């Protein structure tokens, strides 16, 4: 296992980019599994939009809002745990050396 102190800058940035990609994949898969109907029930999105807050179709898919039910809190916690585990794996695995 390589520590952050001994890791080169290139390796660190590579693993950071992979972590961000893993987070986007986890959020996208969760959004597909839950579906728009349950996302609307479990999460609350912003109601006022200005020109600067417009999102495209992909941004709307990834946007959950904030949880307003126990199911929403559970989904949020499971997503954060999955992202944390993916990041820990990517930063501790010797497979990426």
């Amino acid at each position: 296992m390589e520590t952050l102190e001994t890791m080169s800058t290139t390796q660190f940035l590579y693993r950071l980019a992979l972590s961000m990609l893993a987070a986007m994949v986890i959020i996208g898969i969760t959004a597909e599994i839950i579906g728009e109907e349950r996302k609307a029930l479990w999460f609350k999105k912003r109601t006022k939009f200005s020109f600067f807050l417009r999102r495209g179709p992909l941004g709307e898919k990834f946007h959950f809002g904030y949880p307003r039910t126990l199911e929403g809190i559970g989904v949020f916690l499971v997503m954060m745990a999955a992202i944390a585990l993916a990041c820990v794996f990517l930063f501790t695995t010797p497979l990426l050396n």
Side-chain angles (χ1 to χ4, degrees):
M1 182 169 75
E2 193 171 10
T3 63
L4 289 177
E5 292 83 19
T6 60
M7 191 180 298
S8 72
T9 305
T10 307
Q11 284 180 334
F12 176 78
L13 291 176
Y14 177 66
R15 291 174 190 222
L16 184 63
L18 285 176
S19 296
M20 292 173 63
L21 180 65
M24 290 179 62
V25 167
I26 289 168
I27 291 170
I29 289 172
T30 305
E32 282 294 318
I33 290 172
I34 289 176
E36 289 298 322
E37 300 83 23
R38 286 188 276 180
K39 266 177 46 177
L41 290 173
W42 297 347
F43 296 91
K44 181 166 177 61
K45 294 184 180 182
R46 181 184 301 238
T47 55
K48 295 182 181 179
F49 287 102
S50 71
F51 174 75
F52 297 106
L53 297 175
R54 298 275 181 217
R55 289 184 178 88
L58 190 60
E60 279 299 321
K61 177 183 175 182
F62 286 145
H63 180 63
F64 280 80
Y66 62 88
R68 62 177 171 184
T69 63
L70 287 176
E71 291 91 349
I73 293 170
V75 167
F76 169 75
L77 292 175
V78 168
M79 274 195 310
M80 290 302 108
I83 291 170
L85 287 173
C87 291
V88 166
F89 173 76
L90 287 171
F91 274 93
T92 58
T93 185
L95 299 174
L96 298 175
N97 288 339

